[in-house]
Amino acid sequence: MPKLVCACGNYIHNLSAIPDDGFIIVHDREYEDLIETENLRTNLSAENPEEGTKEWEKIIGADAKIMNITERVYECPVCNKLMWLRNDGKTYIYELKELLV
């Protein structure tokens, strides 16, 4: 079971559940490409292609493209830190700061 431990050490995100409690993010400039790719994948999947066929390979390609377009963000319910899991393999952690106006 994949898990993601918050930097505070007080919370563990369970990544096994689909969908999980995280957020999927995509750059605005890639949003239309994501929607088109998801629609293509849905249409191909509806045909229920057999493994190894040309249609099956297109589904695999669409999955890879979706994974490359999207990134994940998780919020700790204990400390409110955000963990941004980037496609480059890096994780950035953001701490909540109160904005004084």
Side-chain angles (χ1 to χ4, degrees):
M1 288 198 269
K3 295 180 180 177
L4 179 64
V5 178
C6 179
C8 74
N10 295 315
Y11 189 77
I12 300 174
H13 296 277
N14 180 357
L15 306 179
S16 295
I18 298 174
D20 61 28
D21 290 331
F23 299 86
I24 297 172
I25 60 172
V26 60
H27 291 196
D28 284 343
R29 66 180 171 271
E30 295 177 313
Y31 182 72
E32 287 184 24
D33 196 20
L34 173 65
I35 297 301
E36 289 175 13
T37 305
E38 287 179 333
N39 287 336
L40 171 67
R41 192 201 187 289
T42 298
N43 293 337
L44 289 168
S45 293
E47 298 173 13
N48 201 17
E50 291 189 27
E51 188 174 344
T53 63
K54 186 172 131 178
E55 290 76 17
W56 177 265
E57 294 302 321
K58 286 182 182 179
I59 290 174
I60 300 301
D63 286 345
K65 188 171 185 178
I66 290 167
M67 293 297 292
N68 286 328
I69 291 174
T70 59
E71 296 181 324
R72 301 247 174 205
V73 172
Y74 294 90
E75 179 183 16
C76 178
V78 176
C79 70
N80 297 105
K81 286 182 178 150
L82 296 178
M83 288 177 280
W84 180 3
L85 281 61
R86 306 267 318 240
N87 286 337
D88 61 8
K90 296 178 183 174
T91 300
Y92 294 92
I93 299 172
Y94 298 90
E95 188 172 338
L96 179 65
K97 295 281 185 175
E98 194 171 332
L99 180 62
L100 301 175
V101 184

